[in-house]
Amino acid sequence: MATELATRVLHSLNDASELPLASSEAFPDVEPTVLKGALDSLRSREMLVYETIDREEPVLTEEAEGIIREGSHEAKVYEAVCAAMDGIKISELPGIVGAASAKVGQGKAFKEGWIKKDGDKLLKKAASINDTTRDQLQLIKARQDAPEPALLAELRKRKLIAMQKRISFKINKGPKFALEVVKEETDLTAEMIARYSLSGSWKDKSFKPYNFAALGANTPSGALHPLNKVRSEFRNIFFEMGFTEMPTNRFVETGFWNFDTLFVPQQHPARDLQDTFYISDPAVADKPRDDETGEFLAEYWENVREVHQDGKFGSLGYRYPWKEEESLRLVLRTHTTAISANILHKLAKNPRPARYFSIDRVFRNETVDATHLAEFHQVEGVIADYNLTLGDLIGFMQEFFQKMGVHQLRFKPAYNPYTEPSMEIFGYHEGLGKWVEIGNSGMFRPEMLESMGLPKDMRAHGWGLSLERPTMIRYKVNNIRELVGHKVDLNFVESNAAVRLDRD
């Protein structure tokens, strides 16, 4: 069929009395998309050239076609009034001309001055009329051309015509015009070369020119999510700075590791149902045990209880009755600091300078908005060393975030139960045009560290960052729900750039 159409186009060009040839007149029965395929094929052989013409044409609606057959609504109303010698009652009009014609035609006939109202009757006013609406529609249908703007707007308002896009082509002969389409070879084969020694086979062939500008076919492949790319870059930064990755395979923690070891009181709002997801079955766990020996951590358990209830290691404590059952409740971890507490407790067996990090999911019962999710990723870092100060922490944060490409930082004093002093970290988000909180940090409290058995002069910095917010800054995403969840655009995932956080 494609070859037949191509031949038809060539013969039409050859027989045309005037060029360029208008496709709307020469091929009215061929769909524009089908015709374009044939024209593109012939143009690639330089047999013709063509120009695409896009224009909007008026198309009559079903109501307009009815007007052409039977007359306009206003003409129907006028004829009904003329047929009644003494006029016609307004209430009887819909039954004679139809409800639609009565509603539209009555107002239009009044406007044109064809009829008048006398009480509840309609009377003839004009001696004769010219059904201009019908005439206009007949002219538009015959010419398929848009009328003047004012009339076009009126007819479109009355829903008598609609504008439809029409594609046509102006076709002319090309430098290699011929009446037959010669098959073009795409490859020079061994058989052609072999025949050349006898008959010159390949010299008689027409070869299709190579299109060096053609794009290759897209190869379907998987793609890493932006979060995974940024996560990988974070890990590289941590490893580059001498950190060791902590195991983070415990999504479910006890209140002991998630809260109590971090000096979070059992009445703290963070432990309420509206902030934390509690496990219903099983609801509680065993007392904490050593991961290697399986023995109950009795001394640590008692130290934590005393620090909360009575005060110890120089702390006054919270002075409340600490409840064992609250400490054993199971929760979806609200932060990876629970892992950090476990690692620092293990470090107490062999105190030494150490650097740890983790990147994994945490869960909080938060209202979802442009910058918050109930499930997100936390980047956690811990540095333990002797005689550390807050200045060391600020300096490290600046160096760390510069490696991520975040150069505008602000620190704000804050409160955390398990760090003192504490700081919130803010980074400037160019997409949102404002400062966004990207982390929390501080120095772990002495009573928290000494409860584990760490020496008095050993200090530990701790900080936690969201993985999502630095990713949003990096990719200029304004709504976190466009990064994680059902609103994620897969094209964004597949086409986003490889992450190379701007480094100094």
Side-chain angles (χ1 to χ4, degrees), residues 255 259-260 264-273 276 278 326-327:
F259 296 119
D260 291 334
V264 179
Q266 293 183 343
Q267 300 84 9
H268 195 279
R271 300 177 77 151
D272 292 343
L273 287 173
T276 300
Y278 283 89
E326 182 69 24
S327 187

Side-chain angles (χ1 to χ4, degrees), residues 339-491:
I339 303 295
S340 301
N342 190 288
I343 292 296
L344 287 172
H345 176 261
K346 292 179 180 178
L347 182 66
K349 296 178 181 179
N350 180 22
R352 65 196 185 281
R355 294 185 171 195
Y356 299 106
F357 82 94
S358 65
I359 307 173
D360 213 334
R361 280 182 288 175
V362 296
F363 311 87
R364 294 182 189 173
N365 194 2
E366 292 190 356
T367 301
V368 175
D369 58 27
T371 56
H372 295 84
L373 292 174
E375 175 184 347
F376 58 96
H377 295 77
Q378 183 172 340
V379 181
E380 175 109 2
V382 175
I383 298 178
D385 206 340
Y386 295 96
N387 302 316
L388 290 176
T389 66
L390 184 65
D392 295 323
L393 176 59
I394 293 175
F396 177 82
M397 288 291 97
Q398 291 173 336
E399 179 184 359
F400 178 78
F401 279 101
Q402 281 178 0
K403 289 180 177 290
M404 291 167 47
V406 180
H407 300 277
Q408 298 187 66
L409 290 181
R410 285 179 179 175
F411 300 93
K412 176 184 175 182
Y415 168 76
N416 292 317
Y418 45 91
T419 58
E420 180 61 37
S422 306
M423 299 183 301
E424 290 177 347
I425 308 168
F426 291 81
Y428 187 76
H429 190 307
E430 293 184 2
L432 293 175
K434 65 178 183 180
W435 292 89
V436 177
E437 183 185 352
I438 57 175
N440 209 329
S441 64
M443 299 186 68
F444 286 117
R445 298 176 70 101
E447 58 267 49
M448 172 189 157
L449 300 177
E450 292 181 38
S451 294
M452 300 172 177
L454 288 168
K456 285 182 176 294
D457 56 349
M458 176 164 276
R459 301 285 180 263
H461 293 157
W463 70 94
L465 326 170
S466 163
L467 180 63
E468 281 77 3
R469 290 188 184 177
T471 306
M472 290 172 68
I473 293 175
R474 173 63 179 81
Y475 286 102
K476 295 180 173 58
V477 175
N478 295 336
N479 193 326
I480 196 171
R481 288 166 289 192
E482 296 174 2
L483 186 67
V484 182
H486 66 282
K487 292 185 177 181
V488 173
D489 183 357
L490 293 182
N491 289 327

Side-chain angles (χ1 to χ4, degrees), residues 58-94:
V59 179
L60 300 187
T61 64
E62 186 176 344
E63 183 181 353
E65 293 285 0
I67 289 175
I68 289 177
R69 292 191 303 269
E70 304 168 3
S72 66
H73 301 303
E74 55 268 30
K76 288 181 182 180
V77 171
Y78 177 79
E79 290 170 2
V81 172
C82 290
M85 299 298 295
D86 297 325
I88 186 172
K89 286 188 176 181
I90 296 175
S91 59
E92 296 175 355
L93 186 62

